[in-house]
Amino acid sequence: MSNKKILFVCLGNICRSPMAEGVFRRLVEENGLEDTFEIDSAGLISVHQGEMPDARMCYHASRRGYELTHLSRPVTRADFDHFDMLIGMDEKNIAGLESIARTDEQRSKIHRMVSFSHYFNPDYIPDPYYGGDQGFENVIDLLEDACEGLFASFSH
Ligand code: 4NP
């Protein structure tokens, strides 16, 4: 398998996309494929640039054994050259990525996270920022499911 570079993208890069990065990273590590994948995350807004993931996301992640260490950063046009896949969490993220892409090749790198879901069938990964505990747990459930589907997509 050739080297795969994957960028998970949400709005603020402090909840969903760093969580997706953490879930996918653990799957890759559990399978000893650290040298095969490059994994990162980014946001469409830069207001949280340099910040750790949201404390509530970190808390719920830690209950399932994930340690989130990513620092928020905005998506750049250069990400469309460097990464093979840019995976958005909802339709606003997809629209934001499409507004940055400049070529058909760059547009072809944009994917929806839920297109890899296999057990659940959500329309999008909902933003947990303004909700309560259950929203964060739900995000992790959906991301664990979709990350398994994404990981499996590379093995056939
Ligand atoms: P995320 O959640 O896109 O999953 O990181 C959000 C975090 C911050 C904001 C919105 C969504 N915000 O508007 O500051």
Side-chain angles (χ1 to χ4, degrees):
M1 197 196 314
S2 61
N3 194 285
K4 275 281 169 197
K5 301 189 184 80
I6 300 173
L7 186 70
F8 295 102
V9 177
C10 63
L11 183 60
N13 192 214
I14 55 170
C15 295
R16 293 165 292 177
S17 60
M19 189 68 237
E21 178 188 344
V23 171
F24 196 72
R25 190 180 301 288
R26 185 158 92 188
L27 271 177
V28 165
E29 288 173 1
E30 282 172 353
N31 287 275
L33 291 172
E34 293 93 327
D35 294 340
T36 306
F37 287 95
E38 182 179 324
I39 309 159
D40 196 4
S41 64
L44 287 154
I45 57 175
S46 54
V47 290
H48 297 285
Q49 186 159 7
E51 291 177 19
M52 288 281 291
D54 185 283
R56 298 164 297 171
M57 193 76 258
C58 289
Y59 168 71
H60 289 277
S62 72
R63 297 197 341 158
R64 299 197 201 188
Y66 300 103
E67 187 192 1
L68 306 184
T69 57
H70 178 79
L71 299 181
S72 176
R73 71 163 181 91
V75 187
T76 67
R77 194 155 286 153
D79 287 323
F80 279 88
D81 295 322
H82 182 73
F83 289 94
D84 301 307
M85 300 175 82
L86 293 88
I87 304 180
M89 299 295 141
D90 62 27
E91 290 306 314
K92 268 173 67 180
N93 303 158
I94 297 297
L97 287 169
E98 284 174 346
S99 74
I100 300 171
R102 281 289 168 274
T103 65
D104 285 345
E105 195 206 342
Q106 291 183 344
R107 275 185 282 278
S108 74
K109 295 180 174 184
I110 301 171
H111 300 266
R112 286 165 177 76
M113 192 71 202
V114 292
S115 70
F116 302 101
S117 299
H118 59 139
Y119 179 75
F120 298 113
N121 187 25
D123 291 332
Y124 57 92
I125 308 294
D127 184 352
Y129 192 66
Y130 295 104
D133 287 350
Q134 191 48 44
F136 287 91
E137 289 294 321
N138 183 46
V139 161
I140 307 177
D141 288 339
L142 296 178
L143 290 177
E144 286 183 331
D145 181 47
C147 280
E148 281 176 21
L150 174 64
F151 187 77
S153 75
F154 295 108
S155 58
H156 45 72

